[in-house]
Amino acid sequence: AWDSTLSVFELPSRRLVATMAIGLAAGTTDRLPDLAVDFSRGRAFVSCPEFAKCAVVDFHNGRALDPFELPGVTGGDTGGGPNQVEVAVSESAGRLLVYCGALRRLTAYDITGSTPRLIADSQTPPPSGSERHAWKVLFVDAARDRAFVGPDLFDVRTGRSLGTRIGRGQKVF
């Protein structure tokens, strides 16, 4: 996903199959989008921090759906480069998780209907010790219905903190 389009390639040949509009204007900053794909429902979600929105593309029908606002995210060129707004999908739970590291904010959306519906908006714990300078990474463990934001665990279905974190010295990758 880049500059208002989503390119779809066939693998392993890397042949370009389609280029689809995402429903937002071409970007002009270094605030790179992130991409999450829900193969079960045929949708791609593109976080576009420059516009403070998440684009939704129906890749089965090759068309953009209505983008939605990202709560609290400031649009425009605010610097910071990539990974400002991360997205991840849990297909089995029918959830899209959106994480904004600068805000320490995790939002969860129900994506089982025709339009993503906000179900939770949570603050994540402040980084401590060596985590202060580490990139926060959003990772979904769909088999266990949980998500990691750095070392902190969240319930994928509710978007709420589980109140636990992985052990000291352990990392998620």
Side-chain angles (χ1 to χ4, degrees), residues 50-99:
E50 177 177 0
F51 300 105
K53 293 185 179 190
C54 186
V56 184
V57 178
D58 176 342
F59 60 82
H60 285 193
N61 295 311
R63 65 185 183 91
L65 304 177
D66 291 335
F68 60 92
E69 299 286 329
L70 296 172
V73 175
T74 302
D77 188 358
T78 61
N83 295 325
Q84 290 180 326
V85 178
E86 297 178 60
V87 290
V89 166
S90 172
E91 291 184 53
S92 60
R95 297 294 186 262
L96 171 71
L97 300 177
V98 180
Y99 178 67

Side-chain angles (χ1 to χ4, degrees), residues 2 5 12 18 23 35 37 42 53 74 78 100 105-106 110 135 140 161 164:
W2 182 250
T5 62
L35 173 71
V37 178
K53 293 185 179 190
T74 302
T78 61
C100 180
R105 184 180 222 158
L106 179 69
D110 180 334
W135 285 91
V140 170
S161 173
T164 58

Side-chain angles (χ1 to χ4, degrees), residues 100-165:
C100 180
L103 300 172
R104 296 187 357 257
R105 184 180 222 158
L106 179 69
T107 50
Y109 296 85
D110 180 334
I111 55 173
T112 59
S114 58
T115 304
R117 183 177 56 85
L118 180 70
I119 58 169
D121 189 0
S122 304
Q123 285 296 120
T124 62
S128 61
S130 64
E131 298 167 356
R132 245 174 249 185
H133 304 290
W135 285 91
K136 287 285 191 171
V137 176
L138 174 62
F139 174 78
V140 170
D141 179 355
R144 294 189 176 114
D145 281 341
R146 64 185 181 181
F148 296 90
V149 177
D152 301 295
L153 279 86
F154 290 79
D155 183 288
V156 167
R157 293 187 183 277
T158 66
R160 302 283 182 215
S161 173
L162 293 173
T164 58
R165 57 181 16 200

